Amino acid sequence: MTLKLTPPQQVEEILTNFSQAGYEIFIVGGVVRDAILGKSLYDWDFTTSATPEEILKLYPDAFYDNKFGTVGIEDSQKGRPYEITTYRTEHGYSDSRHPDEVKWGKSLEEDLARRDFTINAMALKQIRPGEFEIIDPYHGEQDAQNKVIRSVGNPTARFSEDALRMMRAVRIAAQLGFAIEEQTLEAIRINAPLISKVSGERVRDELLKIMASESPADGYLLLHNCGLGEEILPEMEKTFGVQQQSPGRHHIYDVGTHSVESVRNCQSPDPITRLATLIHDVGKVRTQKVFPDGKITFYNHEMESAKIATKIAERLRFSNAQTDKFFRLVRWHQFTVDERQTDSAVRRFIHNVSKDNILDMLSLRVGDRLGGGARETSWRLERFKQRLVDVQKQPFSVTDLKINGRDIMEVKQVPTGPQVGKYLAALFKEVVDKGVPNEKEALLERLKQISA
Ligand code: ATP
Ligand code: MG
């Protein structure tokens, strides 16, 4: 089979340079999969018969990463560097994480055999510029067409070699909308506990990619169904089956199903916000109270959820910024939109959630509503949104006014002293109570008309 393709010019140059120097070279990895699927292409990876030393002779300015034996060539378009790796073959993973030794392979075939899934184990060989032969020993193209993720070789052996591959299977399934082939899925069910051998960072990266994908809800359901959910988010798994239908209340699902439906309906693209939406009710497990009349309450569950969120963030090695946002969204998700609350209560809410997170906080709420069978919004929520905007236009204190003491002294011809403060306080009231805009021109105009 051949494929017509117009890669960046630098890619063609790399292929030509290696061939002319007498080495074999192929395009490999995710970019081949994406080319077959007709997707946009980035992150070009190559495999070659040349050793790192030989590659560095061809490209003296390239950088060499000793650990993986990968040579990086700078992309003149400033994208991720082109990564060229000598044929590899891997033997013996006694810890389910790292090969005991990385060995150079002798052929393309060996290199493709060590790759994780059939759709990731294809290679492209340049026949002439713009035309490529597809080398596909594991029938990845057919699996791509059937939208299937299948291990190369024996799935149980491949997952016990490297447990991260199980997370990669679910992540790629969520990104591409593919299914995991039955035997591959069964092998994940058996090997799921091995994921504990993988570092929090690597699990986090895959989990956040699942959240950032087109189908975060189905991605999580896949984690749930194959047993990886129990390993990486046990707190979340405990919410399935926790009932919350009270007489006269809106809930239609148990807590776990509601959470998954909430993330399905969360409109923010941000993976941290989506994960916060998924786990926002985990605190309901410990705070559930069932009364004799059938009423169910979860008093203060958001505080319990926030505690658990901090634990999850630690376990998954979130950055400080990620942890802060994750915590705030979960901690304050029960905010009231009651129109009778005071301006200062609304300001406190903004302060708690932090200005930068307000839109994501609202996305969580909309997801929460839709995921519970409610309408997307209500007049109260709409009015609250408007109030958030209005309150933020108002100055928070006299020092936020877009006018200062020097302006007052000049316009009012008064000396430094208590009178300046009185004028500022009067202007502050004009803005807060009478809707005078907090803009310099408007404030100067108003200042002329008042006396302190
Ligand atoms: P993306 O770049 O979109 O995340 P990808 O498939 O390119 O997806 P990379 O992590 O860039 O993933 O890896 C490049 C290639 O290396 C993969 O396509 C696969 O062939 C191989 N690979 C990556 N990780 C593993 C692994 N843990 N086990 C076996 N092969 C792997
Ligand atoms: Mg890649």
Side-chain angles (χ1 to χ4, degrees), residues 30-31 42-43 45 80:
V31 76
Y42 53 91
D43 289 1
D45 298 330
R80 197 208 65 172

Side-chain angles (χ1 to χ4, degrees), residues 422-436:
K422 280 187 188 157
Y423 274 113
L424 284 172
L427 279 177
F428 183 67
K429 254 176 101 57
E430 294 283 311
V431 175
V432 174
D433 297 341
K434 304 206 182 127
V436 171

Side-chain angles (χ1 to χ4, degrees), residues 116-117 119-120 148-151 159 162-181 184-185 188 206 210 219 222-223 226 228:
D116 48 6
F117 305 112
I119 56 171
N120 287 344
V148 169
I149 293 165
R150 183 195 313 269
S151 284
F159 294 138
D162 178 3
L164 186 74
R165 289 175 187 150
M166 299 187 284
M167 287 297 293
R168 285 176 55 86
V170 176
R171 185 259 289 184
I172 297 170
Q175 285 177 331
L176 300 177
F178 278 29
I180 301 179
E181 177 273 328
T184 305
L185 190 60
I188 298 180
E206 296 299 327
I210 292 169
L222 203 43
L223 290 174
C226 72
L228 284 169

